[in-house]
Amino acid sequence: MKKVVLAGGTGFLGKLLRDHFVDKDYQVVILSRQAYTSKLNITYVPWDGETLSEWKNELEGADALINLCGKSVDCRYTESNKKLIYDTRLNSTQVLGKAVGLCKTPPKVWINSSSATIYRHAEDRDMGEETGEIGTGFSVDVCKKWENAFFDCTSPGTRKVALRIAIVIGKNGGALQPLKSLTKIGFGGRQGSGNQYFSWIHEVDFINAVNFVLDNKELSGVCNVSSPNPVRNTQFMSSLRKALKVPFGIPMPKWMLEMGALIIRTETELILKSRRVVPKKLIESGYRFHYGNLENALIDLVQKKP
Ligand SMILES: NC(=O)c1ccc[n+]([C@@H]2O[C@H](COP(=O)([O-])OP(=O)(O)OC[C@H]3O[C@@H](n4cnc5c(N)ncnc54)[C@H](OP(=O)(O)O)[C@@H]3O)[C@@H](O)[C@H]2O)c1
């Protein structure tokens, strides 16, 4: 039986992967700060995301280690939240690196999450892994330090891939849920100028891409995980209205978004930054997207039963 260790396997993306690997008959070990009851092929092992302890034994001989840990960025960027955003990503990555280094038979592959937000605000051209330009500012700095912490870990026996993940749109959870709610009550118009690009990936392609990276031994380094077709915010919101069969959507100017973000304790950057990211490496390695087309992706997510 193959074994995968998921750190941060209890969140939105972690649960998608957990269910996928259970279906594929893997033994799934989830490192979590919460106390969950283990069942069938899923074993929950306690850790704090920063200190080496018994959990490190789970990595011995594992087929794969996948780290998805990190305090959600969907919050106000106060100094204390910023510190948590950094610490939860850097500490978990560094302590996993130490654990991998102590293994006699280390995991064959280690996938660490990163984010497509590492690239600059881009409306002018696509950002591939080689041609994309790294941006500036808090979120970019988080991603840079996160990837550096990952690639600085010495792990000669383990292939390493950092996934620069775009916004994953799914049936339950993730960024699509608040956008759906807004659209249903009539506020599904363009956000800000609407010209900013939205890099998205359907949850099925997220799972398949992770699987592809696991199986494809030639793949290492950084890898964009986004659909090949980022769209402008105007088009994203229009496709969402169409999928939800909502005939109109009131536009949300920047000042209104700023006010709303303050009330619901989040940041407008998550909506207003232009992410024009393309999955060059995945495509060149032969990955075929199930949902390259946004309208089909949204119809599947909002109209079909889970
Ligand atoms: N969802 C997206 O569209 C998207 C896009 C780009 C990048 N990402 C990145 O992918 C990763 C997973 O995303 P997600 O949407 O699944 O996030 P999520 O639902 O918020 O889950 C994050 C996971 O991190 C763990 N975690 C949270 N705070 C922690 C802390 N203080 N110490 C240790 N672990 C902590 C939690 O595990 P426990 O509570 O079980 O310990 C949880 O399972 C994140 O790093 C995120 O930044 C996500």
Side-chain angles (χ1 to χ4, degrees):
M1 194 181 216
K2 285 190 167 183
K3 178 178 180 183
V4 60
V5 179
L6 298 177
T10 61
F12 168 50
L13 302 185
K15 283 184 191 154
L16 293 174
L17 295 181
R18 176 197 67 190
D19 295 348
H20 166 74
F21 287 119
V22 167
D23 284 349
K24 284 190 76 182
D25 272 339
Y26 271 66
Q27 183 196 350
V28 179
V29 173
I30 296 182
L31 306 181
S32 175
R33 297 161 308 151
Q34 327 286 332
Y36 290 99
T37 312
S38 298
K39 52 186 171 191
L40 295 170
N41 295 356
I42 309 171
T43 311
Y44 290 92
V45 175
W47 83 327
D48 64 2
E50 54 189 22
T51 324
L52 268 182
S53 65
E54 290 308 299
W55 59 264
K56 71 179 187 328
N57 301 330
E58 296 295 336
L59 270 52
E60 197 64 60
D63 291 276
L65 164 64
I66 302 178
N67 177 22
L68 299 160
C69 275
K71 177 193 162 34
S72 171
V73 293
D74 185 10
C75 60
R76 291 299 285 177
Y77 292 164
T78 59
E79 286 313 309
S80 61
N81 280 341
K82 280 183 177 174
K83 182 170 171 2
L84 265 178
I85 288 171
Y86 277 114
D87 288 351
T88 50
R89 286 167 176 76
L90 305 190
N91 295 345
S92 59
T93 303
Q94 281 157 350
V95 79
L96 285 169
K98 282 186 196 156
V100 169
L102 290 171
C103 286
K104 289 194 186 74
T105 312
K108 293 189 183 80
V109 49
W110 174 9
I111 291 179
N112 217 58
S113 56
S114 174
S115 167
T117 205
I118 195 164
Y119 297 105
R120 67 164 168 83
H121 179 101
E123 291 182 22
D124 55 331
R125 67 174 183 89
D126 291 341
M127 300 280 132
E129 291 88 349
E130 280 180 16
T131 54
E133 293 164 66
I134 303 300
T136 52
F138 166 66
S139 317
V140 169
D141 190 57
V142 170
C143 295
K144 279 173 24 185
K145 294 201 166 107
W146 200 3
E147 289 186 2
N148 288 342
F150 177 53
F151 289 114
D152 281 351
C153 297
T154 321
S155 56
T158 301
R159 178 166 61 93
K160 284 165 47 182
V161 188
L163 303 184
R164 292 179 172 170
I165 310 169
I167 293 171
V168 181
I169 51 174
K171 285 198 169 98
N172 306 300
L176 188 60
Q177 310 314 310
L179 292 175
K180 259 167 48 180
S181 306
L182 274 177
T183 304
K184 283 181 187 167
I185 57 167
F187 287 97
R190 67 171 183 276
Q191 292 160 327
S193 72
N195 289 329
Q196 71 276 26
Y197 276 81
F198 188 107
S199 271
W200 58 277
I201 182 165
H202 187 292
E203 60 186 8
V204 163
D205 278 312
F206 169 73
I207 296 166
N208 291 347
V210 169
N211 220 25
F212 182 83
V213 169
L214 286 187
D215 290 347
N216 194 325
K217 297 188 178 54
E218 306 300 309
L219 258 169
S220 63
V222 299
C223 181
N224 291 348
V225 178
S226 65
S227 89
N229 299 308
V231 294
R232 290 193 188 271
N233 171 277
T234 314
Q235 189 189 333
F236 186 90
M237 295 312 294
S238 155
S239 302
L240 183 56
R241 289 196 303 276
K242 200 167 152 197
L244 288 167
K245 302 189 170 76
V246 176
F248 69 93
I250 299 169
M252 307 263 278
K254 192 171 172 211
W255 66 264
M256 200 190 275
L257 292 170
E258 301 280 5
M259 240 171 57
L262 201 62
I263 294 165
I264 62 165
R265 311 300 297 155
T266 189
E267 293 284 340
T268 53
E269 181 197 333
L270 302 172
I271 296 173
L272 297 179
K273 177 166 178 186
S274 189
R275 297 178 180 89
R276 191 168 168 179
V277 178
V278 287
K280 280 213 79 155
K281 218 167 177 173
L282 279 179
I283 288 176
E284 281 166 7
S285 312
Y287 180 76
R288 295 284 168 266
F289 279 83
H290 199 77
Y291 291 100
N293 172 287
L294 178 64
E295 296 209 347
N296 293 343
L298 287 173
I299 286 169
D300 174 73
L301 293 173
V302 308
Q303 291 183 6
K304 292 194 189 147
K305 294 267 175 280

